Amino acid sequence: YFDLIGLPPTPPQSRDFTTRAAVDPRAALESEIDRLLESSHYGERWGRHWMDVVRYADTAGDNADYPVPEAQRYRDYIIDAFNTDMPFDQFVREQLAGDLLAQLSPTKRYADLITATGFLALSRRYGTAPYELWHLTLEDTIDTTGRAFLGLTLKCARCHDHKFDPINTTDYYALYGIFNSTQFPWAGGEEFQSKKHPRQHFVPLLPDREVAAAQQSYQARLQDLSSQLAQLDLRIKSASPSQQKQLQEQRTRLTTEHLRLHRPGLPPEVPGAYAVRDKQPADVAVQIDGLPANAGSL
């Protein structure tokens, strides 16, 4: 019980096993093991080991450490993968390229394939502004990928070669270019109230063609609210004191509605995942001594 599902048996389960084991110990043990392997708790227990490997958390990390409620979708993907005995090679491909697999062969697993890329999206964020100190997030992505799938720590190759390591600096920045050509989401931060940075690039769990109309309507609604607020500001400046109170109340209502829609970064009716998508590919130069401002050759 503790090995397979991480929970003790209940007293009735213990009594039932003891009764069956008194008749046929081997059959009782085998049937009990089979039952535990089929339990949903099995994936919860063993999925935790993979969550440790991929540094799972439902916050963005570093000083902002902003909550990411959608991260639970990736957690559930892992649990389901263990419970359905997903082959490991498929498990690897979906986490590194689920967005591409979803586009190449749209199926009823479209949402699962998008969610699987949470492996990359969960890379640690630094600072509080959108995509601040981005090279450090990419370093975390590369290092976690190396540890999880290659059994190698790649971080040293960011700055220099190691004579006996199979990954050199050129290889490192080849990986860096791949991840730099990937659109990561931004979870938001406490600066939203002061600087109005909404969450960005959360990936819809439906194909683009199915959410295009909703996205267009969403952007139009945000633009309309912004225009109304700008017009109200002009009216408030020239209004009498008695009119200003009424206009301020109207402005507060519109601001609340604008913030409610703006902050999530997706239309309310479109489910989204903390996941990644492919974007325009581009090579990057080797960063001499690991410094982004000190570019070498491509």
Side-chain angles (χ1 to χ4, degrees), residues 75-236:
R75 176 203 65 196
D76 292 347
Y77 165 84
I78 293 172
I79 293 170
D80 290 343
F82 276 83
N83 281 335
T84 58
D85 296 326
M86 181 183 290
F88 185 68
D89 59 339
Q90 178 184 348
F91 189 56
V92 172
R93 283 196 300 271
E94 291 185 358
Q95 291 177 84
L96 289 174
D99 58 315
L100 301 179
L101 295 172
Q103 296 298 329
L104 289 174
S105 179
T107 66
K108 63 181 181 180
R109 294 194 65 242
Y110 185 93
D112 289 339
L113 292 170
I114 294 297
T115 299
T117 65
F119 165 78
L120 299 174
L122 285 167
S123 298
R124 184 179 180 184
R125 300 304 195 268
Y126 294 83
T128 56
Y131 304 103
E132 188 175 3
L133 300 172
W134 191 242
H135 64 287
L136 297 180
T137 292
L138 294 182
E139 178 192 48
D140 181 74
T141 305
I142 294 169
D143 193 49
T144 302
T145 300
R147 291 170 184 266
F149 298 124
L150 302 175
L152 293 171
T153 54
L154 307 182
K155 187 176 293 188
C156 288
R158 173 186 165 195
C159 302
H160 54 264
D161 292 343
H162 277 182
K163 186 180 294 185
F164 299 107
D165 281 348
I167 302 294
N168 58 28
T169 301
T170 304
D171 296 326
Y172 181 93
Y173 284 99
L175 283 172
Y176 189 106
I178 291 172
F179 293 128
N180 196 49
S181 300
T182 300
Q183 181 60 69
F184 286 73
W186 184 64
E190 63 269 22
E191 287 185 333
F192 178 74
Q193 199 63 34
S194 59
K195 297 185 179 179
K196 304 298 182 290
H197 294 311
R199 302 196 310 172
Q200 298 177 28
H201 299 115
F202 278 63
V203 184
L205 291 175
L206 298 169
D208 290 343
R209 65 181 181 278
E210 296 184 24
V211 300
Q215 290 277 29
Q216 187 175 2
S217 175
Y218 172 69
Q219 294 299 329
R221 177 60 177 155
L222 286 176
Q223 183 61 44
D224 179 57
L225 287 170
S226 296
S227 297
Q228 290 186 55
L229 286 169
Q231 292 171 11
L232 270 177
D233 286 340
L234 292 175
R235 291 175 61 189
I236 289 171

